[in-house]
Amino acid sequence: MTDSFRFTPLSVLRAIPNGQLYRSLLLGLLQTGLSIGWPLLIYRAIQPLPTAFDGPFFVEIAGIVVVFSLAQWLAWRQAFYNFAIIDAACLRLSDKLYRQLAGLQWLAFKQSKRAYLYDLLMSDFWRIRQGISKLLDSVLISTIIVLAMLGFIAWLSTTMVIFCLVGMGLIALLGITTKQKTRPLLVAFQAAWRRQHGWAVALLDKFELFKMGRGVADTAAQHHDHTREFLSDNTRMLREQLFWKSWLNWSGNVLRVATLFLGVYLIQSGELSAQEFVLVLFLLSIIQSHIQPLSTALFSFMDAQEAAITLDRFFRLPSELKPTKSGRESENAHSCGTEPLKSIALSNVCFSYPDKPVIKNKSLSLEQGNIYLWKGENGAGKSTMARILLGHLTPSAGELCINGAPTPWPELSLWRHQTALIDQHVTLFGGTIKDNVLFGHPAAEQQWSDGDPELKRQLLPVQKDPENYQVGECGGALSGGEARRIALLRELYTNHTLLVLDEPTNHLDRTSINLLKRTIAQLKDDKIIIIISHLDEFDDIADQTIKFTPC
């Protein structure tokens, strides 16, 4: 995304084809015409007052019912049509959010809070949808109807319309003041909601520690304080909203009473007839019924604008997607390198995190058909170098050659489809065991039926139906060993030429470790295999041991 492009709710509207917007507008204008027309028919029916409620009078009443029923039907049809085009527009926005999420640079994702990303994908996305929906449904139509009704009142009585405009202006001013006064508290409560969500996630993550008697009392006090602060923010917002809502209700009642007495005065002075005043009251009720959704729509759109700021900030996170002048992304970074990955050479590589240097002038030469064992103490840069090899991190200095050819560092992502990583903290997602094993496999069902039965037997959890057993969030319904074996089976089932195993023996029993070693030895002929381990477990199958030392 370019610096000149800025995401707003109108960015979503602009993505809707013009023809669909025009059709929605046409339905709205037809509805508006009928909504304006049926009060005129009422005026015609009561001017002068009928002397007898005979057949022609009931025909007029039936016509009025037909016209406002048709207006309501058109409003219903427009709303349903708007649902369809808003759904399509929001699906495009959701796809854009997904592309940005999938294309985020690895470090940018790791530095983002999960609670922030949850809220962005759910709450902020929903606020955008609500704002656009209200804008299409209410703003234009309600504005035209309100102006038309005021014009009708002006035709009946100039004094009454001036009074109504002044009164509604004061009410509108009070409404704007209400929103301005309560908005900061609403924003503060939304921030408190995010903090409470983050606290709830952390609370659930501590469950195993609670079962070991760790920090139960201290966490109870912290939970009490967090919840008290959260409730306090909510109560401050509700109190302020109630205060200003009471003022609005009081002002509205004052305006109604004043309107009644003004009407009585105008009747006595001859400016209005009694039936015209009844019609004015009726028109004012129509105006009020449209002003409320109009006000709601405007403030929903303001809320959507604030949500758009969050989404815009998200779209500006460092991404592997290539921006274009239109602000749209190109996915060329995800195209595939076609040659097999036979050799990788890194020379004088340097890398630093913001708080410390990790790798300095490190050189490696990796060849297909070899198993490399990386050893070194914690913080020596082994896992960081693996991330560099996978294209997740870009070094500050150093040269890269792939298959003997000098290669720019960003092009490492072109080879990502030929790589596999089993991290210290395995990646599992909510779904079945089978879903996790076959995720991303181009021929999933065929692999499931034709895959090595010995690998399945040794690595799949016993007494858990892989096609139906749900692993839970992040694999929480599995033991550590079960989770690691499932992740291992998933990577062994993929067709890769670079395999990185970071502390692969964690949570594995002796049988699984022996199976892993045999499998690695069998796979190495057409692969580059890197094992990161503190243990001597893989010394006997490693072709080369590389030592890492802290900077």
Side-chain angles (χ1 to χ4, degrees):
M1 188 165 135
T2 62
D3 289 338
S4 59
F5 179 81
R6 182 175 180 81
F7 178 81
T8 68
L10 294 179
S11 305
V12 181
L13 276 180
R14 282 194 290 268
I16 300 174
N18 289 338
Q20 294 179 347
L21 284 176
Y22 294 152
R23 183 176 176 185
S24 174
L25 181 61
L26 177 61
L27 289 170
L29 291 176
L30 290 173
Q31 173 211 339
T32 303
L34 293 172
S35 297
I36 295 171
W38 66 269
L40 292 173
L41 294 177
I42 290 179
Y43 178 73
R44 178 182 171 185
I46 64 173
Q47 282 291 90
L49 283 173
T51 56
F53 295 100
D54 52 8
F57 176 77
F58 285 113
V59 169
E60 285 190 280
I61 295 300
I64 293 168
V65 171
V66 169
V67 171
F68 75 65
S69 298
L70 186 57
Q72 192 60 46
W73 180 81
L74 284 170
W76 176 79
R77 287 299 305 165
Q78 187 200 19
F80 268 66
Y81 185 72
N82 285 347
F83 287 153
I85 63 177
I86 291 168
D87 281 351
C90 288
L91 276 174
R92 285 191 285 271
L93 172 59
S94 179
D95 291 342
K96 183 180 176 72
L97 286 169
Y98 170 76
R99 288 195 301 272
Q100 173 68 2
L101 178 65
L104 280 181
Q105 291 182 9
W106 179 80
L107 195 58
F109 176 79
K110 288 298 181 180
Q111 291 174 339
S112 299
K113 294 181 180 179
R114 290 175 67 89
Y116 158 74
L117 295 175
Y118 282 137
D119 281 343
L120 185 142
L121 294 171
M122 294 298 297
S123 175
D124 292 319
F125 173 78
W126 179 255
R127 290 162 67 194
I128 292 283
R129 175 185 168 83
Q130 281 286 89
I132 295 171
S133 177
K134 296 293 185 183
L135 185 66
L136 284 179
D137 285 343
S138 303
V139 172
L140 179 61
I141 307 304
S142 293
T143 300
I144 294 174
I145 291 174
V146 166
L147 293 176
M149 295 300 106
L150 287 172
F152 197 179
I153 294 174
W155 181 60
L156 294 172
S157 170
T158 304
T159 304
M160 182 61 77
V161 79
I162 292 174
F163 174 79
C164 290
L165 286 172
V166 171
M168 287 189 294
L170 292 174
I171 294 293
L173 184 61
L174 184 58
I176 292 171
T177 303
T178 298
K179 292 296 182 181
Q180 288 177 336
K181 295 293 185 180
T182 58
R183 193 73 194 166
L185 294 174
L186 176 60
V187 172
F189 173 66
Q190 289 170 344
W193 180 280
R194 291 188 177 95
R195 289 194 301 271
Q196 188 71 359
H197 181 254
W199 167 253
V201 171
L203 194 66
L204 297 177
D205 290 342
K206 294 174 182 176
F207 180 78
E208 294 294 339
L209 297 173
F210 294 157
K211 294 296 114 178
M212 291 187 285
R214 305 273 180 84
V216 176
D218 290 341
T219 305
Q222 292 172 3
H223 181 64
H224 179 84
D225 291 341
H226 276 279
T227 305
R228 181 178 58 192
E229 182 180 350
F230 175 65
L231 293 174
S232 176
D233 284 325
N234 183 235
T235 300
R236 279 197 297 270
M237 179 190 72
L238 294 176
R239 283 177 177 171
E240 192 74 7
Q241 288 175 339
L242 180 60
F243 172 80
W244 288 100
K245 183 179 179 182
S246 299
W247 268 108
L248 277 172
N249 289 338
W250 180 85
S251 302
N253 288 331
V254 169
L255 182 61
R256 293 183 186 96
V257 172
T259 302
L260 180 62
F261 281 106
L262 177 61
V264 171
Y265 169 77
L266 293 176
I267 291 171
Q268 291 177 344
S269 65
E271 185 173 335
L272 275 177
S273 66
Q275 60 264 40
E276 286 175 336
F277 178 58
V278 171
L279 183 60
V280 166
L281 294 178
F282 180 64
L283 294 174
L284 286 175
S285 70
I286 295 175
I287 290 173
Q288 185 178 10
S289 69
H290 283 278
I291 282 181
Q292 185 172 0
L294 179 60
S295 172
T296 302
L298 290 174
F299 286 111
S300 290
F301 190 72
M302 288 172 56
D303 191 50
Q305 290 277 27
E306 290 188 359
I309 293 172
T310 304
L311 265 63
D312 184 69
R313 192 157 49 240
F314 172 69
F315 284 126
R316 293 179 186 279
L317 289 176
S319 173
E320 295 174 351
L321 301 175
K322 294 180 179 179
T324 62
K325 292 182 179 179
S326 66
R328 297 178 180 177
E329 304 87 4
S330 166
E331 296 189 9
N332 294 335
H334 296 296
S335 56
C336 298
T338 54
E339 302 175 50
L341 193 58
K342 295 181 178 180
S343 68
I344 306 175
L346 301 91
S347 303
N348 300 317
V349 171
C350 298
F351 183 86
S352 299
Y353 290 107
D355 55 342
K356 65 173 182 177
V358 180
I359 298 172
K360 185 175 181 181
N361 297 328
K362 188 71 174 179
S363 298
L364 295 172
S365 180
L366 309 172
E367 300 284 342
Q368 192 179 77
N370 291 299
I371 298 173
Y372 298 91
L373 179 60
W374 291 1
K375 288 191 171 186
E377 60 185 87
N378 290 334
K382 305 182 297 298
S383 298
T384 298
M385 182 63 84
R387 292 289 178 180
I388 291 173
L389 276 176
L390 296 169
H392 298 168
L393 296 173
T394 302
S396 56
E399 297 179 354
L400 169 69
C401 288
I402 295 179
N403 295 343
T407 305
W409 288 103
E411 290 190 12
L412 264 177
S413 62
L414 303 177
W415 305 85
R416 195 174 289 160
H417 66 292
Q418 297 191 41
T419 66
L421 167 68
I422 301 175
D423 200 6
Q424 297 180 49
H425 308 289
V426 298
T427 300
L428 297 181
F429 57 88
T432 65
I433 293 173
K434 180 181 176 182
D435 292 337
N436 277 269
V437 170
L438 298 178
F439 181 72
H441 201 286
E445 291 300 327
Q446 182 178 352
Q447 179 62 50
W448 186 252
S449 57
D450 298 344
D452 187 342
E454 178 64 14
L455 284 177
K456 278 188 182 181
R457 188 183 69 81
Q458 292 284 355
L459 296 179
L460 288 178
V462 296
Q463 298 181 339
K464 289 183 173 72
D465 179 6
E467 298 194 19
N468 295 297
Y469 187 84
Q470 298 288 326
V471 305
E473 184 179 359
C474 299
L478 301 168
S479 69
E482 289 172 335
R484 182 161 288 276
R485 289 196 296 272
I486 289 170
L488 177 60
L489 182 60
R490 176 177 62 214
E491 301 311 323
L492 293 178
Y493 269 4
T494 58
N495 183 23
H496 49 262
T497 52
L498 172 63
L499 173 62
V500 179
L501 302 101
D502 196 348
E503 301 294 350
T505 59
N506 287 354
H507 305 294
L508 296 185
D509 56 25
R510 174 50 53 187
T511 301
S512 298
I513 292 173
N514 290 337
L515 173 65
L516 174 62
K517 291 174 65 176
R518 290 198 305 272
T519 303
I520 290 173
Q522 293 167 3
L523 290 174
K524 79 169 194 173
D525 289 346
D526 61 348
K527 302 185 190 308
I528 300 170
I529 298 178
I530 298 169
I531 302 171
I532 302 173
S533 179
H534 291 88
L535 306 177
D536 299 329
E537 197 67 56
F538 298 95
D539 287 1
D540 56 332
I541 64 170
D543 295 295
Q544 183 180 352
T545 299
I546 299 174
K547 297 286 187 179
F548 282 73
T549 56
C551 290

